[in-house]
Amino acid sequence: MDKYTYRVTWSEEDGEYVGLCTEFPSLSWLADTQEAALAGVRDTVKDVVQDMQSAGEAIPQPLATKRYSGKFTVRVPPDVHRKLQIQAAESKVSFNRLVSAKLSEYGPGTSGFLCKDASSSETVHNYDKALKEKRVGRPRSSKRN
C-alpha cells in the first residue's frame, strides 16, 4: 500500500501544478491539474520502488510508518532559553509543555487553532483545548527514533 507523503503545489516557473513526494525528493510530475500532478508523481514513485526492489536497493520507509520517540535536543541562544523559561513560569506550565505548544504553532496540521503571536498562556490553553477536542494528539512513546 502506498503510504508516502505527497504534496501538490503550483509552479509559477513551469505554469503547471507539480506533484512531489517527500521521501523521494528528486522525483516530481508536472500537469495541468492538481489531480493529474498527484496521479503522475504517485505512478512515478510506484515505478521507482519497483525498479529499486528489482535491483535489491534499499527503499525509503514512508515517514508515516516511522516511529518517533518524541524527544529531540535543540540548541538555542541562552537569551532565548531564559525568555522561554520565564514565559513557562509566568504561565504556570512546564518548560516542555510551553515549547511543545510553541512548536505546534508552526507545524503542519495545526488547523489554525494556534496563533503565532499568541501569548504563551493562550498558546498552552489553546493547545490543551485542542487536545481535549481531539484535534491534535499526544506523542506516542516509543524506544525507536
Side-chain angles (χ1 to χ4, degrees):
M1 182 171 211
D2 184 6
K3 297 179 181 176
Y4 289 113
T5 308
Y6 296 98
R7 181 173 61 129
V8 175
T9 188
W10 176 256
S11 171
E12 191 64 37
E13 180 180 334
D14 297 305
E16 293 182 285
Y17 290 97
V18 58
L20 304 164
C21 180
T22 303
E23 292 85 351
F24 293 89
S26 63
L27 302 180
S28 63
W29 189 269
L30 291 169
D32 291 336
T33 67
Q34 293 176 351
E35 295 79 9
L38 178 59
V41 72
R42 288 184 74 189
D43 288 343
T44 301
V45 167
K46 181 180 172 187
D47 292 343
V48 168
V49 167
Q50 287 175 350
D51 289 345
M52 291 176 78
Q53 285 174 332
S54 298
E57 296 178 44
I59 299 164
Q61 181 181 1
L63 293 173
T65 64
K66 285 186 178 183
R67 305 274 310 199
Y68 297 93
S69 68
K71 298 177 189 178
F72 61 96
T73 302
V74 178
R75 298 199 183 280
V76 296
D79 60 316
V80 171
H81 191 173
R82 182 180 305 104
K83 287 176 185 177
L84 290 169
Q85 286 286 8
I86 291 168
Q87 286 180 6
E90 289 174 344
S91 300
K92 296 180 175 71
V93 297
S94 72
F95 181 74
N96 281 340
R97 189 157 200 73
L98 175 76
V99 172
S100 179
K102 286 188 172 286
L103 288 172
S104 295
E105 293 176 18
Y106 299 98
T110 57
S111 304
F113 67 87
L114 295 172
C115 301
K116 291 180 186 176
D117 58 354
S119 73
S120 57
S121 60
E122 288 177 286
T123 297
V124 172
H125 171 75
N126 289 340
Y127 182 72
D128 288 342
K129 182 180 175 189
L131 282 171
K132 287 177 188 169
E133 293 173 2
K134 298 187 183 199
R135 288 193 283 163
V136 295
R138 293 190 189 278
R140 292 180 180 161
S141 61
S142 171
K143 295 189 183 199
R144 294 189 288 172
N145 285 333

